[in-house]
Amino acid sequence: MSGTDTNTVHSPDEARIRDLLSEREQALRQRDADRLIAQYAPEVAVFSLAPPLRQPDSWTHDPAGLRDWFATFDGPIGYEFTELHVTVGGDVAYCHSINRLAAMPHGVPQGFELWFRCTICLRRTGDGWRIAHAHESTPFYMDGSMRAAIDLRP
Amino acid sequence: MSGTDTNTVHSPDEARIRDLLSEREQALRQRDADRLIAQYAPEVAVFSLAPPLRQPDSWTHDPAGLRDWFATFDGPIGYEFTELHVTVGGDVAYCHSINRLAAMPHGVPQGFELWFRCTICLRRTGDGWRIAHAHESTPFYMDGSMRAAIDLRP
């Protein structure tokens, strides 16, 4: 993770949540769908970069969907949380960040780099902190083109 | 608000947060920028439907930006939270919903209806619950067109 001050002393809960997000970065880079799914609470609500408005339970409980998505890329996947803020209150926490995804879809040798917004909300469960809600997005240009703003940088 | 069971008994904190979001719906319909801004905590981080990735502080602390946006519409503005879920833990809470905006931009007599994802994270302050983070978005079509998916319905 960049954009965070490694000298800051975090509360034990904030440190655990930051570890969970570091594990998420690594799992994305390593195309490890099972580890990503294992971080979800059973009733997780996921709003993804791609349609539909909300991912169906079949997608959030079955690593097959993520595996299919990983299979569309050649070579390494870059993934990073930046400008990460974590707020913890009792058994609930939320995080917001600006994330970077870099990947090379099949047949697109130059690849792409995408910066997007990420909100992750967590609940403390008997198994530790789990992701109960995730929201990832780019804004869109309200100039009549209605293009997704995939060319923004923080 | 629709999509919520009005017979459900909510905890006092959840009831207060649902009231805050009802007030938000009304303020949007009434084009009341001051009431909308007053719901923000001082350090709020807002990820809006339109660029940039994160709204600058000048936008979240000054109602002028919202007033300018309201002024681009003729006639009434429709705004509604649906499929609202509220989770409270101590002094932190998060909500996710699918929202509906209906409005008529100048010179577009048929208007538009947009369904989008909304995440709102709150902190309990000395003045009650305040919005510390908001994230609103549509997904986009990863089919090469990179169009914002503004035609989805829940």
Side-chain angles (χ1 to χ4, degrees), chain A residues 70-146:
Chain A
F70 285 138
T72 65
F73 298 117
D74 290 326
I77 294 177
Y79 197 95
E80 203 178 347
F81 286 79
T82 78
E83 302 184 22
L84 174 64
H85 290 256
V86 179
T87 303
V88 185
D91 294 337
V92 166
Y94 68 84
C95 316
H96 56 80
S97 56
I98 304 294
N99 290 10
R100 177 183 164 272
L101 169 67
M104 221 158 50
H106 283 319
V108 185
Q110 75 277 20
F112 68 86
E113 181 182 66
L114 175 69
W115 292 89
F116 60 97
R117 299 92 59 92
C118 177
T119 303
I120 290 184
C121 302
L122 304 103
R123 284 196 308 104
R124 191 198 308 271
T125 73
D127 297 320
W129 289 96
R130 288 291 178 275
I131 296 172
H133 174 52
H135 186 166
E136 298 178 341
S137 80
T138 62
F140 69 89
Y141 293 110
M142 295 188 177
D143 57 1
S145 75
M146 302 305 173

Side-chain angles (χ1 to χ4, degrees), chain A residues 48-56, chain B residues 117 139-142 147 149 152:
Chain A
S48 289
L49 291 171
L53 288 168
R54 175 178 169 166
Q55 296 302 317
Chain B
R117 299 92 59 90
F140 68 89
Y141 292 110
M142 295 189 178
R147 283 175 304 123
L152 301 175

Side-chain angles (χ1 to χ4, degrees), chain B residues 17-70:
Chain B
I17 288 168
R18 286 177 176 268
D19 285 348
L20 182 146
L21 298 182
S22 288
E23 188 191 347
R24 196 155 190 83
E25 279 180 334
Q26 289 172 34
L28 276 151
R29 291 175 191 154
Q30 295 165 359
R31 302 161 184 258
D32 189 337
D34 293 291
R35 268 168 87 198
L36 291 168
I37 296 279
Q39 294 190 330
Y40 288 146
E43 80 299 12
V44 64
V46 176
F47 300 164
S48 289
L49 290 172
L53 288 168
R54 175 179 169 165
Q55 296 302 317
D57 288 348
S58 57
W59 193 88
T60 52
H61 290 92
D62 180 352
L66 270 171
R67 277 197 209 112
D68 289 348
W69 183 70
F70 285 137

Side-chain angles (χ1 to χ4, degrees), chain B residues 35-146:
Chain B
R35 268 168 87 198
L36 291 168
I37 296 279
Q39 294 190 330
Y40 288 146
E43 80 299 12
V44 64
V46 176
F47 300 164
S48 289
L49 290 172
L53 288 168
R54 175 179 169 165
Q55 296 302 317
D57 288 348
S58 57
W59 193 88
T60 52
H61 290 92
D62 180 352
L66 270 171
R67 277 197 209 112
D68 289 348
W69 183 70
F70 285 137
T72 64
F73 297 117
D74 289 327
I77 293 176
Y79 197 95
E80 202 179 348
F81 286 79
T82 77
E83 301 183 22
L84 174 64
H85 290 256
V86 178
T87 302
V88 185
D91 294 337
V92 165
Y94 67 85
C95 316
H96 57 81
S97 56
I98 304 293
N99 291 9
R100 177 184 163 272
L101 169 67
M104 221 158 50
H106 282 320
V108 185
Q110 75 277 19
F112 69 85
E113 180 182 68
L114 176 68
W115 291 88
F116 59 97
R117 299 92 59 90
C118 177
T119 303
I120 290 184
C121 303
L122 304 103
R123 284 196 309 103
R124 191 198 308 271
T125 73
D127 297 321
W129 289 96
R130 289 290 179 275
I131 296 172
H133 174 52
H135 187 166
E136 297 178 341
S137 79
T138 63
F140 68 89
Y141 292 110
M142 295 189 178
D143 57 1
S145 74
M146 302 304 173

